[in-house]
Amino acid sequence: MTTPAGTSPTAIRIDQAVVGDALLGKWKKERLESRKVASDPRFQTAPGMPMDEHRERVLEQLNGLVEEGAIQRAFPKAMGGNDNHGGNIAAFQELIFADPSLQIKSGVQWGLFAAAIQHLGTTPHHEKWLPDALSLKLPGAFAMTEIGHGSDVASIGTTATYDAETEEFVIHTPFKGAWKDYLGNAALHGQAAVVFAQLITNNVNHGVHAFFVPIRTPAGDMMPGVGSEDDGFKGGLNGIDNGRLHFTHVRVPRENLLNRYGDVAADGTYTSPIESPGRRFFTMTGTLVQGRVSLDGAAVNAMKGALAIAVRYGNERRQFTGADGREVVLLDYGLHQRRLLPKLAQAYAMGFADLKLLELFDEVFSGKSDTPENREDLETLAAALKPSSTWAALETLQEAREATGGAGFIAKNRLTGWRSDLDIYVTFEGDNNVLLQLVGKRLLTDYSAQFTSGDKAAIAKAAAGQLGDRVSRFGLRQLGQSIADFGRVSRSVESVRSPEAQRALLTDRVETTIAEIALVLRDATKDVAKGDRAAAGAEAFNSQQHKLIEAAKAHAELLQWEAFTEALETFSGDTLTVMTWLRDLFGLGIIENSAAWYLIHGRLSGNRVEAITAYIDRLLGRIRDHAGDLVDAFGLTPELLRAEIATGIEAERQEEAQAYVAAQVAAGTWPVHEKQLWANQKGARSAR
């Protein structure tokens, strides 16, 4: 462990074991098992490996995961699994420490392809295809995204038209925009694909359904009517053979329809246990939530890795001479603390939020609490947290890279590789902005549901009332008072330090923004002719998209703050003290970053915002002495980080330099610096 500069033997210390257990969560055992795999050189890929070699290496590693029993956790016991859905995702998230290409390719094979067969298919499908998918005898692709339609899955162009005479579906991509693209396993290794297409039977389109479609022979030859193109070298994740697939009147048996939620009889009659087409679509595509949950925790792990590297390096690297004549440790500089420590608080908050998300995911997917309401909550929560953490991971990796200077730019120190590989996280498994729009719509729906007995006018009236008394309802009028009412700056921040005040401020930004949007949408159709209301409403909604996204982001931050606050109940003593400082740094940092909103809406005065900033600076000074312990609590060993600058090598270099200078001075061979000589001469002249 790195000892922070300025730490005395009597200083308070966190209990790293307790904090580490809290971060590992309910599925600690599975996470540690996966970290053991990630620590094995067999599952690690050297930076700079050529793409073709990297692809084959990752395929080989997937076979290694099968041998290790590392991928079966979530599958039925009858298939060799143990129905451990939460543990499976927890273990998957840790594979980012091995190689993100390995992690994502394993996600394609077992989290998308095999999981689609499991969740969208029925027992005959499970028995026929799952054993080979699990053993990797049958590598597969997940063919949903099209060149012309990414997040808008409902509008994809691929069709599956039923032919009653032959009892077959005809899979067809009628134009290039309908080609499936960016698919892992599509360019080389995939032998089958779960293809999403518009199901058409008896001249009726029943919407998007999933079909099992063979695409290659085991020898690698394309099946008749199936075409493939290689996406080639990418900005990251080059161990994955991403590519395009297209289909020209490819016939598959009727039984290849994954028919859990929709089936077609031999005569072409369509039936479904879910009558509503919209609910049926969202239920089927709900399997995507598994990927979003996976990426949320994986992104947080990347943040932990980056911060462990940057903080350890910052505790050792020295730059510019201090008052004692020795160069100063980077992390002792206030700006360096401002760059890294708020992101450390963010990583903790997002980590605790991911644990909550994972628990809800397990409840739904295990069947313990699989209700429509819980599924909707799960989808909304994942759609809120995945954008927040994946964006934060990129920002943290970039800041860590800059904070480690040229050393951070060297590939062997991991930061640039992680930054490149995680770039795609913000747009796959759902583009972040599209996902946040889904969250915003849910917030609007929940807001409107409070007034189901009234019409839009009643909603608007209630919204206006809430805006008018928002300060008094949330007890925030006192927070908006002038600093003069408190006498001293040191006292002015006291009223926003409490968790109740932080919660109120964070909640207020979400609810007020949603209420403002609701008013705009209501006013847009207020005096519009009935036939023109839809267009007017759409135009108004479009004008409010940016504000809706901001509300969704604020909602995610509130959820993360709540998760961190709940996690504080796990700690006591010195650990609770330090972790509370870290939670406050996260919460007050959000408020500081959103200061313009709080000022414009009269929630805080300018002086109060200045007081918050001053208190954050004090928190940074306190947390600085615990930064080493806080990153050590992540439990990331040298085998997991594999970054030279996080091994203590910089401290060795500094000690070597210090010893050399000391020896030269003691021997009288250290030359006098020109500045010192000049100062001595100046002093002598002054003494005359």
Side-chain angles (χ1 to χ4, degrees):
M1 186 198 76
T2 302
T3 301
T7 300
S8 68
T10 57
I12 66 173
R13 300 293 292 273
I14 68 167
D15 187 326
Q16 289 185 34
V18 170
V19 175
D21 279 349
L23 289 168
L24 291 169
K26 181 177 180 179
W27 290 281
K28 173 182 176 179
K29 172 178 173 289
E30 290 81 358
R31 289 188 187 277
L32 294 181
E33 289 173 350
S34 190
R35 288 187 177 188
K36 183 178 179 181
V37 170
S39 299
D40 188 333
R42 289 186 301 148
F43 299 100
Q44 300 165 1
T45 305
M49 183 176 287
M51 182 182 74
D52 292 342
E53 184 180 337
H54 195 180
R55 286 176 169 184
E56 293 309 310
R57 170 73 168 161
V58 171
L59 180 63
E60 177 186 332
Q61 290 170 333
L62 257 61
N63 281 294
L65 291 179
V66 175
E67 295 171 4
E68 292 286 334
I71 54 86
Q72 295 92 340
R73 295 182 182 91
F75 293 95
K77 292 181 179 179
M79 299 295 168
N82 57 5
D83 294 307
N84 184 358
H85 298 272
N88 176 63
I89 299 299
F92 172 86
Q93 293 171 343
E94 303 298 325
L95 287 178
I96 198 167
F97 295 116
D99 180 4
S101 285
L102 167 63
Q103 181 194 47
I104 298 304
K105 191 175 176 78
S106 73
V108 169
Q109 176 66 23
W110 295 296
L112 291 175
F113 173 66
I117 296 171
Q118 178 186 0
H119 294 297
L120 299 181
T122 49
T123 301
H125 302 129
H126 301 165
E127 294 174 347
K128 186 174 182 180
W129 296 312
L130 271 184
D132 285 348
L134 293 181
S135 70
L136 203 61
K137 182 180 179 181
L138 179 66
F142 186 80
M144 175 181 280
T145 300
E146 296 181 353
I147 297 173
H149 287 96
S151 299
D152 184 12
V153 178
S155 301
I156 59 176
T158 303
T159 57
T161 306
Y162 184 64
D163 182 347
E165 291 186 6
T166 61
E167 295 190 31
E168 294 173 318
F169 284 99
V170 181
I171 312 295
H172 187 56
T173 45
F175 42 83
K176 196 162 187 176
W179 286 19
K180 304 295 184 179
D181 204 357
Y182 321 117
L183 315 178
N185 278 343
L188 291 174
H189 301 142
Q191 295 177 22
V194 171
V195 178
F196 288 79
Q198 306 285 352
L199 190 159
I200 301 169
T201 180
N202 293 330
N203 206 33
V204 176
N205 184 347
H206 292 279
V208 176
H209 289 64
F211 301 81
F212 181 93
V213 182
I215 61 173
R216 281 188 185 85
T217 68
D221 298 320
M222 300 305 299
M223 299 295 287
V226 181
S228 172
E229 291 184 2
D230 196 325
D231 282 334
F233 193 80
K234 307 181 296 294
L237 297 178
N238 280 298
I240 306 173
D241 56 322
N242 294 94
R244 297 175 177 176
L245 292 175
H246 54 92
F247 306 91
T248 304
H249 304 296
V250 175
R251 290 179 172 267
V252 298
R254 178 172 63 91
E255 292 77 15
N256 282 29
L257 166 65
L258 301 180
N259 62 347
R260 180 176 178 182
Y261 298 110
D263 201 6
V264 173
D267 65 356
T269 302
Y270 178 84
T271 57
S272 172
I274 304 175
E275 184 176 352
S276 166
R279 179 165 288 279
R280 186 191 314 132
F281 168 76
F282 284 110
T283 300
M284 286 192 286
T285 56
T287 56
L288 283 175
V289 76
Q290 179 169 274
R292 293 166 188 166
V293 176
S294 300
L295 295 183
D296 180 51
V300 173
N301 276 342
M303 294 173 70
K304 293 176 182 176
L307 289 163
I309 294 168
V311 168
R312 289 173 183 174
Y313 185 75
N315 259 334
E316 297 173 357
R317 180 75 158 85
R318 293 177 178 273
Q319 190 88 339
F320 302 110
T321 305
D324 62 356
R326 191 178 181 192
E327 289 181 306
V328 179
V329 171
L330 291 181
L331 206 54
D332 282 343
Y333 288 109
L335 179 59
H336 213 75
Q337 295 168 17
R338 268 275 179 180
R339 297 173 72 180
L340 295 179
L341 299 188
K343 295 194 180 303
L344 182 59
Q346 190 179 44
Y348 268 85
M350 291 180 172
F352 290 131
D354 179 68
L355 296 180
K356 301 292 290 182
L357 173 62
L358 194 53
E359 288 181 11
L360 178 57
F361 169 82
D362 185 69
E363 289 177 9
V364 170
F365 274 67
S366 68
K368 297 173 189 173
S369 186
D370 186 6
T371 65
E373 294 76 17
N374 277 353
R375 279 194 174 261
E376 188 174 8
D377 286 345
L378 172 61
E379 290 166 4
T380 305
L381 186 57
L385 297 182
K386 180 262 185 182
S388 182
S389 61
T390 53
W391 273 327
L394 294 186
E395 293 170 1
T396 300
L397 285 161
Q398 182 63 26
E399 197 66 67
R401 209 296 295 156
E402 294 183 32
T404 52
F409 194 61
I410 298 174
K412 67 181 178 181
N413 287 320
R414 301 292 300 280
L415 297 174
T416 55
W418 269 335
R419 177 62 176 77
S420 296
D421 286 337
L422 266 72
D423 198 334
I424 190 62
Y425 280 33
V426 301
T427 52
F428 81 163
E429 298 298 333
D431 176 277
N432 281 357
N433 283 292
V434 175
L435 291 179
L436 288 175
Q437 184 169 290
L438 182 154
V439 176
K441 288 180 178 178
R442 172 70 186 275
L443 293 173
L444 277 172
T445 300
D446 287 351
Y447 178 83
S448 299
Q450 300 176 48
F451 313 102
T452 52
S453 60
D455 57 14
K456 289 185 178 180
I459 296 173
K461 183 178 180 181
Q466 285 193 1
L467 290 174
D469 68 2
R470 173 68 60 188
V471 172
S472 60
R473 287 181 70 247
F474 282 88
L476 299 178
R477 188 177 301 282
Q478 184 180 9
L479 303 186
Q481 290 175 349
S482 168
I483 196 170
D485 297 337
F486 293 87
R488 293 189 300 116
V489 172
S490 60
R491 290 184 56 199
S492 70
V493 77
E494 295 298 322
S495 55
V496 293
R497 284 174 52 185
S498 72
E500 293 79 14
Q502 291 180 42
R503 178 182 289 109
L505 283 166
L506 295 173
T507 302
D508 180 48
R509 186 160 64 102
V510 180
E511 294 193 353
T512 298
T513 304
I514 290 296
E516 290 172 343
I517 296 170
L519 280 172
V520 170
L521 298 181
R522 181 262 177 186
D523 289 344
T525 57
K526 183 177 180 181
D527 299 317
V528 178
K530 187 175 182 180
D532 298 328
R533 287 177 186 171
E539 183 178 350
F541 183 84
N542 193 49
S543 73
Q544 295 297 301
Q545 270 189 320
H546 69 290
K547 185 176 284 189
L548 194 69
I549 296 297
E550 291 305 310
K553 288 179 181 177
H555 177 64
E557 291 170 339
L558 172 61
L559 293 172
Q560 290 155 354
W561 183 92
E562 292 281 9
F564 201 154
T565 300
E566 183 177 330
L568 292 181
E569 299 172 9
T570 310
F571 311 118
S572 61
D574 290 350
T575 302
L576 176 60
T577 298
V578 176
M579 295 301 288
T580 300
W581 291 342
L582 201 63
R583 190 280 314 274
D584 289 348
L585 177 59
F586 177 70
L588 295 176
I590 295 170
I591 295 167
E592 182 188 45
N593 291 335
S594 306
W597 188 92
Y598 290 103
L599 289 167
I600 290 170
H601 287 79
R603 303 302 194 260
L604 293 172
S605 68
N607 287 330
R608 191 63 53 82
V609 171
E610 286 186 347
I612 289 173
T613 295
Y615 183 62
I616 287 174
D617 289 337
R618 297 210 303 275
L619 283 175
L620 291 171
R622 295 173 185 173
I623 294 169
R624 181 267 171 274
D625 284 345
H626 304 278
D629 286 348
L630 288 167
V631 297
D632 286 347
F634 294 153
L636 301 179
T637 63
E639 293 79 15
L640 291 171
L641 287 179
R642 302 191 302 285
E644 184 182 71
I645 57 174
T647 62
I649 192 172
E650 181 61 30
E652 294 176 9
R653 286 195 287 255
Q654 295 291 336
E655 290 169 5
E656 180 187 19
Q658 182 77 358
Y660 174 79
V661 172
Q664 293 290 310
V665 171
T669 56
W670 190 249
V672 178
H673 196 282
E674 180 184 13
K675 288 183 178 179
Q676 184 62 48
L677 184 63
W678 181 82
N680 292 342
Q681 292 172 346
K682 182 179 180 181
R685 286 195 299 269
S686 299
R688 291 186 189 133

